[in-house]
Amino acid sequence: MAYDYSSDSKLLELPNPYQLQNRLLWLCAALLIGAGVVALWWARDAMQAGSLRLAGAPLLVGLAMLSAGLLCAATAARRLRFFFGRGRPASLAPEIPVGATGGSAAADEVKDILRQGSLTYPEPKGAVEGMLYHWAPTLITAPRQVQFLARRYAFNLAAIVATLASFLFSWLVFGTESTRAWIGILYFLFGAFFLLKPVLQQSQARLTAASLIGLVAVAILGPVLIGLVGPQLPSLRGFSLNTQTFVMLGTALVASGLAMAAVLAQVDTAPQTRASVEQGRVSMSAPPSTLMDELDRTLQSEWTERIPNRRYARIDPLTPASTPSGSFTGELFEETQPLPVPGTKAPSFSAALADRRHLPLLLLDLYAVVLVVVSVGMAMLFVRGFDVLAGWSDNRISLAGNAAILALVAGFCFQSSGKLWGRFNFHSVLVWVEMAGAYQTSRIGTGNNFSSRMNTENDVVRTEAMTLRVWRALVESVVFGKDEARQVTAMFSTEKETKALAAHLVDFARNQSVLVAPMAREDQARIDLLNRGEGALRGPSAQVPGLVELAAGSMAPPALDVDREAARHCMRCGAPAPAMASFCSRCGASLSA
């Protein structure tokens, strides 16, 4: 996604939420790269001295620490600057392009949120989730991502606790010198496959009721069975994974506990879920599509920071001319550009320690740093005294195993906290307008066909008793990561704005004209020219001098020449004729001739 920059507003230029974690990652990167370079230097010295048996371990460990350090540095470098353009956060549903119509199933789900005024969440299932939601009842109204992580970490935490308890009980109560090594190997393999692997892969541990029953049975019967088959088992010659098992289960338990606390810190009180709705009945002498056009103009005038709204659904009300009457439906569903909640800023170290939401995240990252430091120290001790020809205990290979476990758990801590550091809350407005009704067409003419010189006719679409619904709500949404899915977490009513929008649409519908008349200036100028030309065609009688003054009463009418008019005779027979006669009353000849 490209970064869309606008100099008019700085509201979308969010502070980098990963500042604290980036600093700790840079610290770990410097430590790992430095230790890796030192290990490689030791391998170089051993190779120059011809002691290849002493160069293998420094070479491998040095490369591993160098790779881990570069990974930490690359992660911090990718998040060194935090760009957040107007195309982010993600939309609540697929957007409809400009000029297109339609909708989507996701848009219907958001519309149902407005219609019902409620938010839906998945119900807890299983015994572990039941205990979790009983312990934290407000978790049911938390964002789905928070609930998902809480359920995962709770299940993993319960599995680790059960495994650790079974291991301690079996090792301390029933274990002997000959069986404890095998008990440690058994629980290490079980924990690495069923617990550590899912934790590192950010998935849920595969521990069912049958697995719990098996752990209890193994804790009680395992040492006895190992003792019975002990003579047939090969000799371990001092090999033991007891320390690694303790380290793996203990560090994973603390990491899962801190991750669980960090997730629960994201849970707030139960949110509000209320939307505003206005419903009215509208009749108008115009197609309903004109109301849709006015709605478009109104919503565009209310764009947030002049950023176009996100259109999720649009259905134009159709009134085809070939059908004299029928029904129609239409809707428009849009969301304004989401803006960060006021006061959003990146926490400093002291602010994070004092904030309920950020404190567990900071502790989880600090715990990861401690694990990295201890892991690097163990790895360097192992490398410094390693000799291929030496025995198991002399080479202290257990240090390498413990260092690897600590490094993996540290990576889990950084990943878990990174998902929660990227949380942002946004405010936006959802507007959904529905219209449905019936229409009929008719023809209306303007002007008198006999006496008027200007007549107009037009086809009128009459909208009868259209149902108009306006849904509007100020919604709060959350996103974990700027490119991740966004979820509505709260809704607040906007009664005043909803009433104003509905009233504006109703007023616009009632003010639509049914008559057609020339309105342009060019039309008016041409009408004036036609009137003057028609007046000129009427002749001099229409331009009688003093006619205006006579109408105003400022001039007396001119006297008629009665004698001249009375002396009028027929040119054929000579008979006298009245002044206003057109034909002779005696012979019928035309007097004008």
Side-chain angles (χ1 to χ4, degrees):
M1 180 177 293
Y3 175 69
D4 193 353
Y5 172 76
S6 174
S7 59
D8 297 333
S9 176
K10 305 297 182 182
L11 294 177
L12 291 178
E13 297 184 11
L14 298 178
N16 191 346
Y18 302 103
Q19 288 183 6
L20 288 180
Q21 190 180 58
N22 281 347
R23 295 172 184 174
L24 297 178
L25 285 173
W26 284 118
L27 177 61
C28 292
L31 180 62
L32 288 168
I33 293 176
V37 170
V38 171
L40 292 177
W41 193 271
W42 289 347
R44 173 181 175 274
D45 292 341
M47 294 172 65
Q48 286 182 344
S51 302
L52 297 180
R53 59 189 179 86
L54 302 177
L59 178 61
L60 296 177
V61 173
L63 293 176
M65 289 192 294
L66 193 61
S67 301
L70 292 177
L71 178 61
C72 292
T75 303
R78 283 195 302 267
R79 303 182 307 190
L80 194 59
R81 296 297 302 272
F82 191 76
F83 298 105
F84 205 98
R86 66 174 61 183
R88 297 185 175 97
S91 299
L92 297 174
E95 296 186 35
I96 303 298
V98 177
T101 59
S104 62
D108 294 338
E109 293 179 1
V110 182
K111 287 188 288 187
D112 285 339
I113 293 177
L114 288 176
R115 181 185 291 112
Q116 299 180 11
S118 63
L119 303 174
T120 57
Y121 299 97
E123 296 183 5
K125 300 178 181 179
V128 176
E129 293 184 8
M131 295 177 60
L132 172 63
Y133 282 86
H134 176 74
W135 179 37
T138 56
L139 181 62
I140 191 65
T141 59
R144 285 190 292 267
Q145 179 69 9
V146 173
Q147 295 193 45
F148 173 75
L149 292 176
R151 293 194 299 268
R152 174 193 294 174
Y153 293 150
F155 203 89
N156 292 343
L157 188 62
I160 293 173
V161 169
T163 305
L164 182 60
S166 176
F167 172 65
L168 293 176
F169 186 81
S170 176
W171 196 85
L172 295 176
V173 177
F174 297 106
T176 61
E177 291 296 332
S178 60
T179 60
R180 284 176 178 172
W182 286 103
I183 293 174
I185 295 175
L186 178 64
Y187 276 94
F188 181 83
L189 296 177
F190 176 85
F193 185 77
F194 288 98
L195 302 179
L196 188 60
K197 181 180 177 181
V199 166
L200 298 179
Q201 292 180 347
Q202 297 289 327
S203 60
Q204 184 170 294
R206 291 176 292 178
L207 190 63
T208 61
S211 301
L212 292 175
I213 295 174
L215 286 175
V216 175
V218 169
I220 299 174
L221 303 178
V224 179
L225 295 176
I226 293 175
L228 294 177
V229 299
Q232 288 77 29
L233 294 175
S235 176
L236 296 177
R237 297 180 181 180
F239 178 81
S240 174
L241 293 179
N242 291 330
T243 304
Q244 287 75 18
T245 305
F246 278 112
V247 171
M248 177 184 65
L249 296 178
T251 55
L253 178 65
V254 175
S256 297
L258 290 175
M260 186 68 190
V263 170
L264 293 180
Q266 308 297 317
V267 180
D268 299 322
T269 57
Q272 294 188 22
T273 56
R274 183 183 177 188
S276 301
V277 58
E278 286 293 322
Q279 177 175 285
R281 186 175 59 184
V282 181
S283 296
M284 57 186 297
S285 299
S289 58
T290 59
L291 193 62
M292 183 71 75
D293 295 336
E294 177 63 17
L295 177 60
D296 258 337
R297 291 187 290 267
T298 304
L299 294 182
Q300 181 172 349
S301 65
E302 298 175 353
W303 283 358
T304 301
E305 298 294 324
R306 296 189 296 179
I307 301 176
N309 290 347
R310 302 181 178 192
R311 181 172 296 175
Y312 298 144
R314 180 187 177 99
I315 298 178
D316 292 327
L318 301 179
T319 55
S322 59
T323 306
S325 63
S327 59
F328 65 88
T329 58
E331 67 172 341
L332 184 63
F333 182 31
E334 292 187 355
E335 180 191 16
T336 60
Q337 170 66 31
L339 294 180
V341 174
T344 301
K345 60 180 181 180
S348 60
F349 189 84
S350 57
L353 290 176
D355 186 68
R356 177 188 65 86
R357 179 172 292 175
H358 294 137
L359 177 59
L361 292 175
L362 182 59
L363 294 179
L364 187 59
D365 285 339
L366 292 176
Y367 178 66
V369 173
V370 172
L371 293 180
V372 170
V373 172
V374 177
S375 175
V376 170
M378 288 183 175
M380 297 303 288
L381 288 176
F382 162 72
V383 167
R384 194 59 176 171
F386 180 80
D387 189 351
V388 175
L389 301 180
W392 162 266
S393 57
D394 295 334
N395 278 327
R396 297 174 296 183
I397 297 181
S398 61
L399 291 176
N402 292 331
I405 293 173
L406 295 180
L408 293 175
V409 175
F412 161 77
C413 295
F414 279 128
Q415 291 180 4
S416 301
S417 62
K419 293 182 177 180
L420 300 176
W421 277 118
R423 173 174 180 168
F424 284 103
N425 292 337
F426 294 90
H427 278 168
S428 59
V429 176
L430 290 175
V431 181
W432 177 31
V433 178
E434 294 180 289
M435 54 186 73
Y439 73 95
Q440 57 184 2
T441 59
S442 60
R443 179 175 290 273
I444 295 180
T446 305
N448 192 317
N449 292 333
F450 298 99
S451 61
S452 177
R453 293 182 299 275
M454 183 178 295
N455 302 315
T456 60
E457 289 185 348
N458 63 299
D459 294 329
V460 177
V461 177
R462 174 73 180 176
T463 303
E464 296 288 348
M466 177 182 66
T467 300
L468 179 67
R469 296 187 184 92
V470 178
W471 307 81
R472 195 177 189 276
L474 174 66
V475 298
E476 182 175 326
S477 54
V478 65
V479 61
F480 291 87
K482 59 183 179 181
D483 293 324
E484 299 299 325
R486 184 163 55 99
Q487 178 194 350
V488 176
T489 56
M491 292 191 303
F492 306 91
S493 63
T494 57
E495 298 290 344
K496 181 179 178 181
E497 293 80 1
T498 307
K499 291 181 181 293
L501 179 58
H504 173 74
L505 295 177
V506 171
D507 183 68
F508 175 82
R510 292 175 177 174
N511 289 332
Q512 295 305 295
S513 175
V514 71
L515 302 179
V516 177
M519 301 177 62
R521 292 182 179 180
E522 184 66 21
D523 292 336
Q524 298 293 337
R526 294 184 181 185
I527 291 174
D528 292 340
L529 290 175
L530 291 175
N531 288 335
R532 275 187 261 174
E534 186 175 353
L537 293 175
R538 292 177 182 174
S541 60
Q543 304 294 334
V544 178
L547 184 60
V548 177
E549 292 81 355
L550 178 62
S554 60
M555 180 179 177
L560 297 176
D561 191 352
V562 180
D563 295 337
R564 184 175 63 83
E565 294 293 339
R568 189 176 185 188
H569 294 79
C570 177
M571 298 297 293
R572 176 180 294 184
C573 64
M580 302 301 295
S582 300
F583 299 93
C584 178
S585 60
R586 179 182 296 179
C587 64
S590 176
L591 296 178
S592 60

